[in-house]
Amino acid sequence: MAKNKNKGKPRNYALDSGVYRFSASKMFHKKAIHKFLKKTVAKKPADKKPVFVEKKIKGDKNGGTRMVRVKKLTNNVPTMDLKKKNTTRKSVFSKHSRKLRPSLTPGVVVIILAGVHKGKRVVVLKQLETGLLLITGPLKLNGCPLRRINQRYLLATKTSINVSGVKVPETINDKYFARVKSDNKVKKDGNIFENKKEDYKPSEQRKADQASVDKQVLEAIKKHPQGAALKSYFKAGFGLNKGEYPHKMIF
């Protein structure tokens, strides 16, 4: 009996000429691939497991039952504190609503409670974009110039003047009161006591704005029925004597 030379070879093997024994279409038929192409097996729907289970709890004041998770959640604790987005001062406070006490309307005479000019009576002109209030002494009466101040440091009184005719320049805003950086650089060599700080000097523009605004405010004070008394009222400082309590006073 002759030996089979092709024993151990696959069904479709290369002949001596290099051509395979069966073509691709013939192998497609021999493997019966056409039987399995459109064959679909219906998948069994997975059983939905409940997320919560009702558990009985002892104690009369505990409600009797409580819903408990079947599978507890894993605690995902980050190893690093990620940097928060938009946490700068401009992004956080730019969209805040600037609320103002109803008693602090333009023209109201207020008392400053803190700072260099504490105890002085000044006039409220308007509210700026940052929520701070623009006030003036006037400078001629009590030495308080145009400045911005937080409303928490102001005590409103019932006295008021009509400032509807006072025109405040549009240039007087929050940037108007920004601090100007000095050009003097600290010398590293030499005596440190030689570096002296320059005293603040108002610019000519600020002097002109102060004069124009105060002139209009003084005219409004003159038009008040008690204009003469108001001038002495602005010049006098506020203070408390023994036995005087602010919560019992009417301002």
Side-chain angles (χ1 to χ4, degrees):
M1 186 175 179
K3 293 182 179 181
N4 188 4
K5 296 180 180 180
N6 299 326
K7 189 177 181 181
K9 292 182 180 181
R11 181 187 297 179
N12 192 17
Y13 56 88
L15 302 174
D16 295 338
S17 60
V19 180
Y20 277 91
R21 184 182 177 193
F22 301 113
S23 63
S25 59
K26 191 69 176 177
M27 289 300 299
F28 186 87
H29 177 73
K30 282 183 173 293
K31 291 181 179 179
I33 297 176
H34 60 279
K35 294 182 180 180
F36 303 98
L37 286 178
K38 296 182 180 181
K39 189 176 182 180
T40 55
V41 180
K43 293 183 180 180
K44 294 182 180 179
D47 298 334
K48 292 184 178 180
K49 296 182 180 179
V51 181
F52 294 93
V53 178
E54 189 176 1
K55 184 179 179 181
K56 292 184 178 181
I57 297 174
K58 297 180 180 179
D60 298 335
K61 298 181 179 180
N62 293 329
T65 59
R66 190 171 298 170
M67 301 302 291
V68 183
R69 279 186 176 271
V70 176
K71 188 177 181 181
K72 292 184 179 180
L73 300 175
T74 56
N75 294 327
N76 185 13
V77 181
T79 56
M80 295 177 64
D81 293 334
L82 300 177
K83 187 177 180 181
K84 296 180 180 180
K85 295 182 180 179
N86 298 330
T87 55
T88 59
R89 185 179 295 180
K90 291 183 179 179
S91 62
V92 172
F93 296 103
S94 61
K95 297 180 181 179
H96 279 203
S97 59
R98 314 298 179 183
K99 295 181 180 180
L100 186 65
R101 296 206 308 266
S103 58
L104 297 174
T105 55
V108 172
V109 179
V110 295
I111 301 170
I112 302 177
L113 302 177
V116 180
H117 301 282
K118 62 181 177 181
K120 294 182 180 180
R121 296 176 174 91
V122 296
V123 183
V124 176
L125 296 178
K126 67 175 184 177
Q127 187 183 23
L128 301 176
E129 292 182 359
T130 55
L132 301 177
L133 293 175
L134 179 66
I135 61 170
T136 184
L139 181 66
K140 187 178 180 180
L141 297 180
N142 53 24
C144 183
L146 280 168
R147 41 189 306 124
R148 54 180 183 169
I149 189 170
N150 197 314
Q151 60 178 328
R152 68 178 65 185
Y153 303 120
L154 297 177
L155 177 63
T157 64
K158 291 187 176 181
T159 308
S160 63
I161 60 176
N162 186 9
V163 293
S164 58
V166 178
K167 295 182 180 179
V168 181
E170 296 181 358
T171 55
I172 300 179
N173 49 24
D174 292 298
K175 293 182 180 179
Y176 182 84
F177 295 98
R179 293 184 181 180
V180 181
K181 295 182 180 180
S182 60
D183 297 333
N184 296 334
K185 295 182 180 179
V186 180
K187 297 179 181 179
K188 295 183 179 179
D189 299 333
N191 191 358
I192 59 174
F193 297 102
E194 293 178 358
N195 302 321
K196 295 182 180 179
K197 292 183 179 179
E198 293 184 1
D199 296 334
Y200 169 75
K201 294 180 181 179
S203 62
E204 296 298 328
Q205 179 65 32
R206 182 164 290 195
K207 289 179 181 179
D209 293 338
Q210 182 72 53
S212 64
V213 173
D214 280 0
K215 184 179 180 181
Q216 299 176 69
V217 174
L218 288 171
E219 289 178 358
I221 293 173
K222 286 181 181 179
K223 293 178 182 178
H224 195 273
Q226 299 177 350
L230 273 178
K231 287 186 178 180
S232 59
Y233 180 70
F234 280 107
K235 292 178 181 179
F238 174 77
L240 295 174
N241 295 326
K242 187 176 180 181
E244 294 180 348
Y245 304 102
H247 62 278
K248 293 183 178 181
M249 294 181 178
I250 298 175
F251 296 95

